[in-house]
Amino acid sequence: MGKLLRNWLSSRLDLAPALRLLFDNLRKPVPVHVNWLFTLGAAIACLLGIQIFSGILLMIHYKPSEREAYDSIAHIMDQVTLGWFVRGLHSWGAHLIMIMLLLHMIRVFVYGGYKSPRELTWVLGVLLFAVVAGFGFTGYLLPWDQMAYWATVVATEAPATIPLAGPLVKEFMVGGSEVADSTIGRFYVLHIIVLPLALAGLVGLHLFLIRYQGVSSLQRSDEPEPTPAELVACGGEPFWPNHVLKDLTSSYIVMGILVTLALLFPPHLGARANPFITPIGIKPEWYFLPAYQLLKYVPEAVGVQVPPLFLFVLILLPFVIDRSPERHPRKRLRVIIGGVLVLGLVALLGVLGHLSETRRTIMGTTYQFDILGRPHAADIKSPDLQP
């Protein structure tokens, strides 16, 4: 049967050149320094596939309107067979994708994979990060519960402080003067149509460039790329099947973690959104906490522009900031230290955002963290803040 199908296709489509090019590419060896950290991209691709599949299943029952959104999520969680599990896969998958993307970008940064001739691959990766963050931002509102609604209100109020264009930006985002039915419709269209199309195009180009150019070596970028024979002589292994097996193993492990999280910790659905009751402790998802906390230290008109400027700086990294031909991390200590400091600052803002406006007991002493994340000895008689 397989031979008949192959002959039928061959008589109508000349696939031999394309198949030969594919097999030759799969047999390309990878540099000897390629380790398990280089399987993060395959794990991300696996998670994206699960996100698409679980998202389609959720779309069957979800109704994107102010009146029906919350009830449709409750219906999925309580009445649809394994609906709670599918939503758990989708919810936890978003968190894992963001974690994997951050680790993947850190790995590329450390190994100098953004240098010539792979600058475009890096730019596409930064844009992919922005698109995935967009998925998180638009998807968070869709359950239409209290935390989702008010976190979106806070997030969409910040752009309004931008001089001149701010009010127009906010109105374009929410579809009016406040978060309402038009907002959920816009976010839903972005979440299921616009962003997936952008994701598909960026992922396709990103993977094509990775396979076309191969994995970067640790040689200087102004030296000739090592040939396949030179890579093999230095201990490099074939991409197929050696590295592919590592990719599959990494993907299976991540899938196991995702399924475990979805089974043991199904996502919570809070109270229905109420525009007249503001809940205590409104905070965005963890990956937006650094930007959220930054707004408490600087004017909103300044803080709201930092995230896009940060992405722009990442895009400029191979063109302006680190133009040295060196790739090896030991020969780029100044850049590596700078990256560690920036990453540490972002992590610190995230931790402060997580701790702010909470009360916690540390080593037997209860502390109350103020809005800036500073600890104070708690007054036991005062009402508890968010635990």
Side-chain angles (χ1 to χ4, degrees), residues 309-333:
L309 284 176
F310 181 70
L311 292 176
F312 184 64
V313 169
L314 288 179
I315 289 175
L316 292 179
L317 178 63
F319 303 103
V320 177
I321 300 173
D322 184 15
R323 301 177 62 183
S324 165
E326 296 290 354
R327 286 199 182 102
H328 201 289
R330 293 180 182 176
K331 299 178 180 179
R332 301 164 40 241
L333 290 179

Short mmCIF file of all heavy atoms in Angstrom, two decimals, residues 309-333:
data_model
loop_
_atom_site.label_atom_id
_atom_site.label_comp_id
_atom_site.label_asym_id
_atom_site.label_seq_id
_atom_site.Cartn_x
_atom_site.Cartn_y
_atom_site.Cartn_z
N LEU A 309 10.37 48.89 24.91
CA LEU A 309 11.74 49.34 24.71
C LEU A 309 12.74 48.23 25.03
O LEU A 309 13.77 48.09 24.35
CB LEU A 309 12.02 50.57 25.59
CG LEU A 309 11.43 51.89 25.13
CD1 LEU A 309 11.70 52.98 26.16
CD2 LEU A 309 11.98 52.29 23.77
N PHE A 310 12.42 47.42 26.03
CA PHE A 310 13.29 46.29 26.37
C PHE A 310 13.35 45.28 25.22
O PHE A 310 14.42 44.77 24.89
CB PHE A 310 12.77 45.62 27.65
CG PHE A 310 13.60 44.46 28.11
CD1 PHE A 310 14.87 44.66 28.62
CD2 PHE A 310 13.12 43.17 28.02
CE1 PHE A 310 15.65 43.59 29.04
CE2 PHE A 310 13.88 42.09 28.43
CZ PHE A 310 15.15 42.30 28.95
N LEU A 311 12.21 45.00 24.61
CA LEU A 311 12.20 44.10 23.45
C LEU A 311 13.00 44.71 22.30
O LEU A 311 13.70 43.99 21.57
CB LEU A 311 10.76 43.83 23.01
CG LEU A 311 9.89 43.00 23.98
CD1 LEU A 311 8.48 42.90 23.44
CD2 LEU A 311 10.49 41.62 24.19
N PHE A 312 12.88 46.01 22.12
CA PHE A 312 13.64 46.67 21.06
C PHE A 312 15.14 46.58 21.32
O PHE A 312 15.93 46.37 20.39
CB PHE A 312 13.21 48.13 20.95
CG PHE A 312 13.85 48.89 19.83
CD1 PHE A 312 13.61 48.53 18.51
CD2 PHE A 312 14.70 49.95 20.09
CE1 PHE A 312 14.21 49.23 17.46
CE2 PHE A 312 15.30 50.65 19.05
CZ PHE A 312 15.06 50.28 17.74
N VAL A 313 15.54 46.69 22.58
CA VAL A 313 16.95 46.54 22.94
C VAL A 313 17.43 45.13 22.63
O VAL A 313 18.55 44.92 22.14
CB VAL A 313 17.17 46.89 24.42
CG1 VAL A 313 18.57 46.49 24.88
CG2 VAL A 313 16.96 48.38 24.64
N LEU A 314 16.59 44.13 22.91
CA LEU A 314 16.96 42.75 22.59
C LEU A 314 17.16 42.57 21.09
O LEU A 314 18.07 41.86 20.65
CB LEU A 314 15.89 41.79 23.10
CG LEU A 314 15.80 41.59 24.62
CD1 LEU A 314 14.65 40.63 24.95
CD2 LEU A 314 17.11 41.07 25.18
N ILE A 315 16.30 43.21 20.30
CA ILE A 315 16.45 43.12 18.84
C ILE A 315 17.76 43.76 18.40
O ILE A 315 18.44 43.26 17.49
CB ILE A 315 15.24 43.79 18.15
CG1 ILE A 315 13.98 42.95 18.35
CG2 ILE A 315 15.51 44.00 16.66
CD1 ILE A 315 12.72 43.58 17.81
N LEU A 316 18.15 44.85 19.06
CA LEU A 316 19.38 45.55 18.70
C LEU A 316 20.64 44.84 19.21
O LEU A 316 21.75 45.23 18.84
CB LEU A 316 19.36 46.98 19.26
CG LEU A 316 18.34 47.94 18.66
CD1 LEU A 316 18.46 49.29 19.35
CD2 LEU A 316 18.53 48.09 17.15
N LEU A 317 20.48 43.83 20.05
CA LEU A 317 21.63 43.18 20.69
C LEU A 317 22.73 42.78 19.70
O LEU A 317 23.89 43.14 19.89
CB LEU A 317 21.14 41.98 21.50
CG LEU A 317 22.22 41.15 22.20
CD1 LEU A 317 22.95 41.99 23.25
CD2 LEU A 317 21.59 39.92 22.86
N PRO A 318 22.42 42.03 18.64
CA PRO A 318 23.52 41.63 17.73
C PRO A 318 24.00 42.73 16.80
O PRO A 318 25.07 42.61 16.20
CB PRO A 318 22.90 40.48 16.93
CG PRO A 318 21.45 40.77 16.92
CD PRO A 318 21.14 41.44 18.23
N PHE A 319 23.22 43.80 16.66
CA PHE A 319 23.55 44.85 15.70
C PHE A 319 24.31 46.03 16.34
O PHE A 319 25.14 46.65 15.67
CB PHE A 319 22.28 45.39 15.03
CG PHE A 319 21.46 44.34 14.35
CD1 PHE A 319 20.30 43.86 14.95
CD2 PHE A 319 21.85 43.81 13.13
CE1 PHE A 319 19.53 42.89 14.33
CE2 PHE A 319 21.09 42.84 12.50
CZ PHE A 319 19.92 42.38 13.10
N VAL A 320 24.02 46.32 17.59
CA VAL A 320 24.57 47.51 18.24
C VAL A 320 25.30 47.19 19.53
O VAL A 320 26.43 47.64 19.75
CB VAL A 320 23.44 48.55 18.52
CG1 VAL A 320 24.00 49.77 19.24
CG2 VAL A 320 22.74 48.95 17.23
N ILE A 321 24.68 46.39 20.39
CA ILE A 321 25.18 46.21 21.75
C ILE A 321 26.37 45.26 21.81
O ILE A 321 27.39 45.55 22.46
CB ILE A 321 24.05 45.71 22.66
CG1 ILE A 321 22.92 46.75 22.68
CG2 ILE A 321 24.57 45.47 24.08
CD1 ILE A 321 21.69 46.29 23.40
N ASP A 322 26.28 44.11 21.15
CA ASP A 322 27.35 43.12 21.17
C ASP A 322 27.79 42.79 19.75
O ASP A 322 27.34 41.81 19.16
CB ASP A 322 26.89 41.86 21.91
CG ASP A 322 28.01 40.83 22.06
OD1 ASP A 322 29.18 41.19 21.86
OD2 ASP A 322 27.70 39.66 22.37
N ARG A 323 28.66 43.61 19.22
CA ARG A 323 29.12 43.42 17.84
C ARG A 323 30.44 42.66 17.78
O ARG A 323 31.00 42.47 16.70
CB ARG A 323 29.27 44.79 17.17
CG ARG A 323 27.96 45.59 17.13
CD ARG A 323 28.15 46.96 16.54
NE ARG A 323 28.59 46.90 15.16
CZ ARG A 323 28.89 47.95 14.41
NH1 ARG A 323 28.79 49.17 14.95
NH2 ARG A 323 29.29 47.81 13.18
N SER A 324 30.94 42.24 18.91
CA SER A 324 32.18 41.46 18.93
C SER A 324 31.98 40.13 18.20
O SER A 324 30.92 39.51 18.31
CB SER A 324 32.60 41.20 20.38
OG SER A 324 33.58 40.18 20.44
N PRO A 325 32.98 39.66 17.45
CA PRO A 325 32.84 38.38 16.75
C PRO A 325 32.94 37.17 17.67
O PRO A 325 32.68 36.05 17.24
CB PRO A 325 33.99 38.41 15.75
CG PRO A 325 35.02 39.29 16.37
CD PRO A 325 34.25 40.34 17.11
N GLU A 326 33.30 37.38 18.94
CA GLU A 326 33.46 36.26 19.87
C GLU A 326 32.10 35.67 20.24
O GLU A 326 31.14 36.39 20.51
CB GLU A 326 34.18 36.70 21.13
CG GLU A 326 35.61 37.18 20.91
CD GLU A 326 36.56 36.04 20.54
OE1 GLU A 326 36.11 34.85 20.58
OE2 GLU A 326 37.72 36.32 20.22
N ARG A 327 32.04 34.34 20.26
CA ARG A 327 30.82 33.65 20.68
C ARG A 327 30.99 32.96 22.04
O ARG A 327 30.03 32.85 22.78
CB ARG A 327 30.42 32.58 19.64
CG ARG A 327 29.82 33.12 18.36
CD ARG A 327 29.06 32.01 17.65
NE ARG A 327 28.50 32.45 16.38
CZ ARG A 327 29.03 32.16 15.20
NH1 ARG A 327 30.14 31.44 15.13
NH2 ARG A 327 28.47 32.59 14.09
N HIS A 328 32.18 32.49 22.33
CA HIS A 328 32.39 31.72 23.55
C HIS A 328 32.10 32.60 24.78
O HIS A 328 32.59 33.73 24.87
CB HIS A 328 33.83 31.20 23.62
CG HIS A 328 33.99 30.03 24.54
ND1 HIS A 328 33.91 30.15 25.91
CD2 HIS A 328 34.21 28.71 24.29
CE1 HIS A 328 34.08 28.97 26.46
NE2 HIS A 328 34.26 28.07 25.51
N PRO A 329 31.28 32.10 25.72
CA PRO A 329 30.92 32.93 26.89
C PRO A 329 32.13 33.39 27.71
O PRO A 329 32.10 34.47 28.29
CB PRO A 329 29.99 32.02 27.71
CG PRO A 329 30.21 30.64 27.18
CD PRO A 329 30.61 30.80 25.75
N ARG A 330 33.20 32.62 27.76
CA ARG A 330 34.37 33.02 28.53
C ARG A 330 35.09 34.20 27.91
O ARG A 330 35.84 34.90 28.60
CB ARG A 330 35.34 31.84 28.66
CG ARG A 330 34.80 30.69 29.51
CD ARG A 330 35.82 29.58 29.59
NE ARG A 330 35.31 28.44 30.37
CZ ARG A 330 35.96 27.30 30.53
NH1 ARG A 330 37.17 27.15 29.97
NH2 ARG A 330 35.43 26.33 31.24
N LYS A 331 34.87 34.43 26.63
CA LYS A 331 35.51 35.55 25.95
C LYS A 331 34.56 36.75 25.82
O LYS A 331 34.91 37.72 25.16
CB LYS A 331 35.99 35.10 24.57
CG LYS A 331 37.02 33.97 24.63
CD LYS A 331 37.44 33.52 23.25
CE LYS A 331 38.47 32.39 23.33
NZ LYS A 331 38.89 31.92 21.99
N ARG A 332 33.40 36.66 26.45
CA ARG A 332 32.42 37.75 26.41
C ARG A 332 31.93 38.04 27.83
O ARG A 332 30.74 38.26 28.07
CB ARG A 332 31.22 37.35 25.53
CG ARG A 332 31.57 37.03 24.11
CD ARG A 332 30.48 36.28 23.36
NE ARG A 332 29.15 36.75 23.64
CZ ARG A 332 28.19 35.97 24.18
NH1 ARG A 332 28.43 34.73 24.52
NH2 ARG A 332 27.00 36.45 24.40
N LEU A 333 32.86 38.06 28.78
CA LEU A 333 32.47 38.19 30.18
C LEU A 333 31.73 39.49 30.47
O LEU A 333 30.79 39.51 31.27
CB LEU A 333 33.72 38.09 31.07
CG LEU A 333 34.37 36.70 31.15
CD1 LEU A 333 35.60 36.74 32.03
CD2 LEU A 333 33.37 35.67 31.66
#
